[in-house]
Amino acid sequence: MHLRTGAFCLVFLCSALGYGQYQGPMSKDTNSSPTLRATAVFEWTGELANPKAGRLVPIAVWDGQQYQPGGVYLAQPEPLTVESGTLYELEKAGMPQGTFQVKSAEQLSGSWIGLGSVKLQLAAAKPRRPMSKYPPQVVKEGAQAQTNTQQAKTTPESVPSATTPKEDPDRPTLHRRDTGDTSAEQTPSTSSSDSDRPTLHRHDTDSASSGTSGDDPDRPTLHRRTNPGNPGAPVTSVSSPDPDRPKLRYGKPETQEGLVEPSKLEGLPADLEQMAAISDVKQTEPHSFAHTWYDPADESRMKAAMEQLAQKALAAENQATAAIPENVSGAKSRPKRKSSPEAPLPMLTEESFHAFELSWSSGVTAVFSAQAVQDGRTRYITLIAQPDFEGQPQIIFKQITSDDRLDVTPRLRLVDAVDCDGDGRAELVFELRGVSGREFGIYSITNRSVTQVFHTGPQS
């Protein structure tokens, strides 16, 4: 009797647990494509608002797990990074400066580049403080001023006005207004009580319905590309052989007055400018990676200390190179140890100093680059340093090369601090320039260590 009751309870309990755990058929995740984030460098000559020529050089694509070469990623035949319609956000130390929209792609010296148009981000106008309803009065010191003060005290109904020159024609005023018709009285409660008071006016548009939404019609916005046949419906595919091809951030092709479409930029001119560009399918809040100095003198001291470290490193490198003579066969012989005077510090030129805060409360990371002429050769140096507890910079990365060894050890030129993988922490993007070619590299800094995580050259 008890066994039968226990068995019945066990069967009921198992069926109840099974019913509670079963959630129905599992739904398939239709959006299985990876979250892509592309990093590129926009290069131009002239003014950024009106470049003479420009190009977008793709660097890498972060697919959620690792970096992929941006110049060949999903090429059909052009890579995904320079597909027509792709929208990049131009950044400076993490802060947006404008957008670059790819219009077409071309091959330059065997590498793909993107051509398109630049649109700068409009800076929000700061409204001026409204003028007071009671403008300040300036009076002369003397008997006439005392008389006017006494008259004002005895007759509180009378309010001194700056527009009554009959009392004192020599009385100075700050801002004399032309009141025009004095017979018209205006109350201070109305908005037109002060004709010279600065006001902010909304841009007048032709359509009255555009002002009902409360948005600023001049505010730059990013729009999804629309279908020409059905303007209200978004484009679900592009003219590519693969309909499942993933997309980066796409913009709405539009022709606006003043929108510049720079021509193709060739070579490496002396006035070449560079700026980082990011294209991501998701929108993130901008975060500045520039270090904020609480005292401007700290920045000057840090730069001076970096200059001294660079001079000492170049002097030591030049002395070590000069101490290695070559014998007749061309092999380098071991130098003899001898006491030599300290080498003079070289004069630095083409200096570049940047201070970043690569993550929240991570401290300053300084990047310094310069060049100097020593023994008829031009040497290039790049230092990355972080301060110790006493604020003195400690070198965590150093690269020195010369003009006759650029193909072996390229020259490092900083592009910017960029969040290339979207984790909220910035990496340093460098241009590795040689004599006959160049590459781009992404360097990660963690625990006072610098690691090259990607470069655009042949991958090992």
Side-chain angles (χ1 to χ4, degrees):
M1 191 69 179
H2 296 286
L3 292 176
R4 183 180 300 175
T5 305
F8 176 78
C9 294
L10 181 60
V11 172
F12 178 79
L13 180 62
C14 291
S15 60
L17 291 175
Y19 180 80
Q21 292 177 356
Y22 180 66
Q23 302 295 332
M26 298 294 293
S27 60
K28 287 187 177 182
D29 186 10
T30 57
N31 187 14
S32 59
S33 60
T35 301
L36 304 178
R37 185 178 176 89
T39 302
V41 175
F42 176 63
E43 300 179 328
W44 78 96
T45 57
E47 298 292 335
L48 180 59
N50 187 15
K52 299 178 181 178
R55 64 191 175 200
L56 184 84
V57 182
I59 297 180
V61 175
W62 176 257
D63 62 359
Q65 296 181 351
Q66 61 183 354
Y67 290 103
Q68 302 290 344
V72 296
Y73 186 68
L74 298 181
Q76 296 182 358
E78 75 277 359
L80 180 68
T81 52
V82 291
E83 190 177 19
S84 178
T86 305
L87 188 67
Y88 283 85
E89 192 169 65
L90 304 178
E91 295 183 354
K92 185 177 181 181
M95 297 304 294
Q97 306 295 316
T99 58
F100 177 86
Q101 186 173 353
V102 180
K103 298 292 185 66
S104 62
E106 295 184 10
Q107 278 191 325
L108 180 64
S109 302
S111 301
W112 284 97
I113 61 172
L115 305 178
S117 57
V118 179
K119 184 177 181 182
L120 296 185
Q121 182 173 356
L122 299 179
K126 296 183 179 180
R128 295 186 301 174
R129 292 183 178 180
M131 296 179 61
S132 175
K133 295 187 297 183
Y134 306 101
Q137 305 293 331
V138 177
V139 297
K140 291 183 178 180
E141 294 182 359
Q144 184 64 31
Q146 294 179 0
T147 304
N148 295 338
T149 305
Q150 293 177 0
Q151 292 177 359
K153 289 182 179 180
T154 56
T155 58
E157 301 86 6
S158 61
V159 179
S161 174
T163 59
T164 57
K166 295 181 179 180
E167 297 180 1
D168 187 4
D170 297 331
R171 180 180 180 181
T173 57
L174 287 179
H175 180 64
R176 187 179 300 275
R177 296 197 303 264
D178 187 9
T179 56
D181 187 7
T182 57
S183 61
E185 296 181 357
Q186 298 178 353
T187 58
S189 60
T190 61
S191 60
S192 61
S193 60
D194 190 353
S195 60
D196 291 340
R197 180 175 179 177
T199 57
L200 299 179
H201 300 280
R202 187 177 298 276
H203 182 70
D204 187 14
T205 57
D206 296 335
S207 176
S209 60
S210 62
T212 58
S213 61
D215 295 333
D216 188 359
D218 292 338
R219 180 178 181 181
T221 57
L222 302 179
H223 303 280
R224 185 180 298 276
R225 187 172 59 174
T226 58
N227 192 343
N230 187 5
V235 175
T236 57
S237 63
V238 295
S239 57
S240 60
D242 187 4
D244 298 329
R245 176 184 174 99
K247 302 179 181 64
L248 294 170
R249 188 192 306 179
Y250 265 56
K252 179 180 179 181
E254 53 186 355
T255 303
Q256 298 180 358
E257 185 177 357
L259 203 61
V260 181
E261 187 171 353
S263 59
K264 183 173 61 175
L265 179 64
E266 297 184 358
L268 299 174
D271 58 344
L272 182 68
E273 300 286 343
Q274 295 177 331
M275 182 176 291
I278 292 293
S279 183
D280 199 344
V281 296
K282 60 181 180 180
Q283 299 286 344
T284 56
E285 291 293 331
H287 169 60
S288 177
F289 298 112
H291 180 71
T292 302
W293 299 94
Y294 296 100
D295 186 0
D298 295 339
E299 181 180 7
S300 301
R301 284 192 291 266
M302 176 66 72
K303 182 179 179 181
M306 295 288 288
E307 290 176 350
Q308 189 175 10
L309 290 175
Q311 288 176 327
K312 291 182 178 180
L314 287 174
E317 180 74 13
N318 186 51
Q319 188 174 10
T321 305
I324 304 178
E326 294 185 359
N327 52 25
V328 179
S329 60
K332 296 181 179 179
S333 60
R334 180 175 297 180
K336 297 181 180 180
R337 294 184 178 179
K338 60 179 181 178
S339 60
S340 58
E342 186 176 355
L345 298 180
M347 180 179 296
L348 302 179
T349 59
E350 303 293 332
E351 298 183 12
S352 173
F353 175 77
H354 298 275
F356 302 106
E357 192 168 336
L358 301 180
S359 63
W360 293 101
S361 303
S362 63
V364 59
T365 298
V367 182
F368 181 82
S369 299
Q371 65 185 45
V373 178
Q374 295 175 303
D375 296 337
R377 292 184 297 178
T378 303
R379 295 186 183 273
Y380 307 94
I381 184 171
T382 299
L383 301 178
I384 302 178
Q386 292 179 343
D388 55 12
F389 292 103
E390 297 180 356
Q392 298 298 323
Q394 303 296 320
I395 299 177
I396 61 175
F397 177 85
K398 176 181 66 175
Q399 179 161 317
I400 300 177
T401 185
S402 56
D403 53 1
D404 57 346
R405 291 182 55 84
L406 290 178
D407 286 338
V408 179
T409 305
R411 174 188 179 187
L412 290 183
R413 294 165 52 92
L414 177 68
V415 177
D416 204 352
V418 188
D419 184 6
C420 299
D421 53 6
D423 61 350
R425 182 182 181 88
E427 290 77 31
L428 296 179
V429 178
F430 284 92
E431 179 196 31
L432 289 67
R433 183 176 295 187
V435 175
S436 57
R438 64 169 182 168
E439 299 176 1
F440 287 94
I442 301 176
Y443 293 77
S444 175
I445 300 178
T446 54
N447 299 326
R448 304 181 71 88
S449 177
V450 181
T451 305
Q452 187 188 72
V453 294
F454 180 81
H455 64 94
T456 58
Q459 305 297 314
S460 56

